[in-house]
Amino acid sequence: MQLNHPDIQEVLVTADQIQERVAELATEISEFYKDKEVLLLGILKGAVPFMADISRALSIPVLQDWMAVSSYGSGTVSSGVVRILKDLDADIKDRHVLIVEDIIDSGLTLSWLTSNLKARGAASVEIVTLLRKPEAAKVRIAVRWVGFDIPNAFVVGYGLDYNEHYRSLDGVGILSPSVYE
Ligand code: IMP
């Protein structure tokens, strides 16, 4: 569905801009892992569109797995409490893992997840995120690839939701606060 939706206050990234950036990131990632076998680890549910697009844009063969973690509940403020709702299907010992994430807000979720994956014996753990809110960072995490830095506002679209709505919008926009206030 197109982003020109009445609940969207401001368009931040259009569908075309996402596809252009995905292609650039895919070139860098393919080069980085050219001699290695990489496992793309998508974080459900928000990273589904990004995983679908970036995995197909890569020029190297990859494996894919998924985790579902929760740090938010139904609100719009990060809690820092992470729960695994769905774990990986396979062992990642000695594997090169690339976490594919939709957005980094406080960074708490990925900070926790990165340590968790390293503790399982992954050979390497890197992160690619489509979006990052630099002003919201509560912890420092090493993110190798970022699609777009965005302002510290609650955004939806391209996988990102508010109470499960708006995931199918084709770009990313700021949700009008009147929707949740
Ligand atoms: P963090 O732990 O604060 O970095 O939060 C990461 C998770 O919070 C993301 O994977 C999203 O699921 C969710 N999240 C953070 N900011 C937004 C937003 O602006 N819109 C929708 N979901 C968000």
Side-chain angles (χ1 to χ4, degrees), residues 1-2 6-7 12-13 17 22 27 34 47 55 61 69 79 85 89 91-92 98 101 109 124-125 130 136 142-143 146:
M1 187 183 178
Q2 289 188 347
D7 295 346
L12 287 182
V13 197
Q17 287 169 330
V22 163
T27 303
K34 64 173 183 281
S55 61
V69 295
S79 67
L85 306 177
D89 288 338
D91 189 2
I92 54 161
L98 175 58
E101 178 61 304
T109 307
S124 67
V125 180
L130 181 72
V143 185
V146 178

Side-chain angles (χ1 to χ4, degrees), residues 114-143:
T114 307
S115 330
N116 180 285
L117 298 174
K118 284 184 178 155
R120 300 187 202 195
S124 67
V125 180
E126 301 289 351
I127 298 168
V128 56
T129 183
L130 181 72
L131 305 167
R132 178 175 63 181
K133 298 181 195 170
E135 294 154 35
K138 288 196 183 140
V139 282
R140 279 180 58 88
I141 43 171
V143 185

Side-chain angles (χ1 to χ4, degrees), residues 70-73 75-82 105-109 136 138 154:
S70 150
S71 68
Y72 252 41
T76 58
V77 180
S78 195
S79 67
V81 180
V82 180
D105 185 4
S106 67
L108 292 167
T109 307
K138 288 196 183 140
F154 194 80

Side-chain angles (χ1 to χ4, degrees), residues 26-181:
T27 303
E28 291 176 27
I29 293 168
S30 301
E31 175 64 23
F32 184 86
Y33 289 109
K34 64 173 183 281
D35 302 318
K36 301 194 178 90
E37 185 176 68
V38 59
L39 172 74
L40 301 183
L41 168 53
I43 309 303
L44 294 169
K45 305 171 195 169
V48 168
F50 187 40
M51 174 71 126
D53 286 344
I54 197 116
S55 61
R56 288 176 299 164
L58 295 172
S59 60
I60 51 166
V62 292
L63 302 173
Q64 291 188 16
D65 204 345
W66 298 89
M67 278 179 83
V69 295
S70 150
S71 68
Y72 252 41
S74 62
T76 58
V77 180
S78 195
S79 67
V81 180
V82 180
R83 272 193 309 146
I84 295 182
L85 306 177
K86 184 227 167 281
D87 208 345
L88 290 155
D89 288 338
D91 189 2
I92 54 161
K93 188 162 170 10
D94 300 329
R95 290 208 168 279
H96 295 284
V97 179
L98 175 58
I99 301 172
V100 178
E101 178 61 304
D102 49 4
I103 189 163
I104 300 178
D105 185 4
S106 67
L108 292 167
T109 307
L110 281 192
S111 165
W112 177 89
L113 188 60
T114 307
S115 330
N116 180 285
L117 298 174
K118 284 184 178 155
R120 300 187 202 195
S124 67
V125 180
E126 301 289 351
I127 298 168
V128 56
T129 183
L130 181 72
L131 305 167
R132 178 175 63 181
K133 298 181 195 170
E135 294 154 35
K138 288 196 183 140
V139 282
R140 279 180 58 88
I141 43 171
V143 185
R144 195 167 286 274
W145 297 283
V146 178
F148 302 92
D149 278 325
I150 61 167
N152 190 9
F154 194 80
V155 299
V156 293
Y158 196 72
L160 288 157
D161 75 308
Y162 174 67
N163 282 351
E164 298 301 326
H165 293 276
Y166 313 106
R167 289 193 197 275
S168 65
L169 296 177
D170 64 2
V172 176
I174 298 179
L175 184 63
S176 173
S178 62
V179 175
Y180 54 84
E181 271 169 0

